[in-house]
Amino acid sequence: VKNAKVVLEKDELVSKCAELQEDVNSKAEEIADLKRKLADSKRSNKSAVERAHQAEAKVEEERAVIIQVKEALASMEGQNTALTKEIEFLKEQLDRAAEYRDQIVRLESDVLTARQ
């Protein structure tokens, strides 16, 4: 009877050990899966950070281009203003030249009239 009891306890312990081993194996698989997920997550995070840095660098480049374009536009606007003033000045000079030409024509006419 004692022998049967010991065999029964041994069988129960073997069964319990098998269950515990299955549980350990299951937990080991879970841990391995979580480690893979963590590694994937770290790679994804690293990739996302790299893309964010690249985007930030591109934004800075575009800002620099925008600043250059604004400066160029301001310079062109200044040149345009200067050219507009120059055109007005030249128009005034043409008007004066036309007045002088009219005066010369009148004076020549007066000289011709006076000679007659």
Side-chain angles (χ1 to χ4, degrees):
V1 172
K2 274 189 170 184
N3 223 1
K5 194 175 180 182
V6 169
V7 168
L8 183 62
E9 284 180 12
K10 178 189 165 211
D11 288 344
E12 286 176 3
L13 287 174
V14 167
S15 176
K16 185 71 173 173
C17 279
E19 287 177 25
L20 290 173
Q21 186 61 45
E22 285 178 27
D23 192 38
V24 165
N25 290 343
S26 173
K27 297 295 181 192
E29 287 176 18
E30 254 185 76
I31 290 170
D33 187 47
L34 289 172
K35 283 182 178 180
R36 280 190 298 276
K37 287 179 180 177
L38 178 61
D40 289 345
S41 177
K42 284 180 179 179
R43 279 191 297 276
S44 292
N45 185 44
K46 184 178 179 183
S47 177
V49 167
E50 287 173 1
R51 285 193 311 271
H53 287 304
Q54 290 170 353
E56 186 178 3
K58 187 171 183 175
V59 166
E60 289 304 317
E61 287 175 14
E62 289 174 356
R63 281 185 181 149
V65 169
I66 289 170
I67 288 170
Q68 289 174 346
V69 168
K70 284 181 179 179
E71 289 172 353
L73 286 173
S75 174
M76 292 170 100
E77 188 175 326
Q79 291 173 353
N80 189 32
T81 301
L83 288 172
T84 301
K85 289 179 181 177
E86 183 70 20
I87 289 169
E88 288 300 317
F89 175 75
L90 292 173
K91 283 181 182 178
E92 291 173 7
Q93 294 298 315
L94 283 173
D95 289 345
R96 284 188 192 153
E99 287 176 20
Y100 291 149
R101 186 193 43 166
D102 290 345
Q103 286 178 2
I104 290 170
V105 168
R106 277 193 303 261
L107 289 172
E108 287 176 345
S109 176
D110 289 348
V111 167
L112 286 175
T113 304
R115 286 187 183 167
Q116 291 175 356

